[in-house]
Amino acid sequence: MRKVQFYGAISIDGYLATKDNRLDWLFQTSGADEAPTKTFMQQVDTAIMGRHTYEYTMEQTTDQLINPFNPDTQSIVMTSAPHPGDDHTQFTNADVTELVQELRQKAGQNIWIVGGAGILMPLLAANLVDEMFIQIAPVILGSGIPLFTTIDHQQRFELVATNQYGQLAEVHYRKQSGAKGE
């Protein structure tokens, strides 16, 4: 079965981006180029994100690819206003948990959860996230777009590894064996 993996960076105080969706604080942090992003991205062929993450990424990239290390990656953009996509991008308002359950049953590589709490939290609540790779930048933003919001139950992961890439600290967590929903 395909793994569902979150891979992303946050500030020390748990924000993915500033309130106006900026990531300059992250790009000013040395070490991102040392992280094994390429290895991770070569193992995924599906990326699920919200509309804001998709639009920001398209504004920032010249090649218009979510995953430059696997150009055939299918991007699924969760939006309240779906519209026709293209060969590599699907826009949908489907329930993200049902979508991921269906994708896990299909052949393919791992599924990358990109972006914030709107996508991640329903998947955590449904116990559908197998691994999290969280890179922490040494900056406190004070406010912004959080990675985590409230959840109605505790969920425990096991620490697989910690790594340092320049000024980024990365923690790799895996869902504990025998966790609810397995």
Side-chain angles (χ1 to χ4, degrees), residues 17-164:
T18 61
K19 285 185 179 184
D20 58 353
N21 291 306
R22 288 191 356 264
L23 294 175
D24 53 333
W25 58 272
L26 177 59
F27 301 135
Q28 294 167 0
T29 304
S30 67
D33 57 337
E34 299 172 30
T37 304
K38 179 178 179 179
T39 301
F40 175 84
M41 289 190 171
Q42 287 174 330
Q43 298 173 22
V44 299
D45 66 1
T46 305
I48 302 174
M49 71 210 72
R51 180 182 55 82
H52 292 293
T53 300
Y54 175 77
E55 289 174 354
Y56 179 84
T57 304
M58 291 300 102
E59 288 173 10
Q60 300 300 313
T61 61
T62 55
D63 56 17
Q64 299 295 286
L65 295 172
I66 293 294
N67 183 355
F69 304 109
N70 183 353
D72 293 327
T73 297
Q74 179 69 35
S75 295
I76 301 173
V77 180
M78 308 304 296
T79 178
S80 59
H83 54 83
D86 57 35
D87 289 343
H88 295 288
T89 307
Q90 171 189 347
F91 297 87
T92 183
N93 61 357
D95 179 273
V96 71
T97 59
E98 291 175 13
L99 176 68
V100 167
Q101 288 171 339
E102 290 172 19
L103 289 169
R104 285 178 68 135
Q105 301 305 316
K106 295 180 179 178
Q109 293 178 280
N110 296 334
I111 301 165
W112 175 26
I113 305 306
V114 186
I119 307 298
L120 183 60
M121 294 311 294
L123 296 174
L124 284 170
N127 200 39
L128 292 172
V129 178
D130 298 303
E131 293 180 302
M132 293 189 287
F133 296 83
I134 302 172
Q135 295 168 353
I136 305 164
V139 60
I140 295 175
L141 296 177
S143 67
I145 300 169
L147 175 59
F148 299 106
T149 55
T150 58
I151 191 168
D152 65 0
H153 64 280
Q154 284 189 0
Q155 193 167 32
R156 188 164 294 275
F157 285 75
E158 59 186 351
L159 179 64
V160 176
T162 58
N163 296 293
Q164 181 175 350

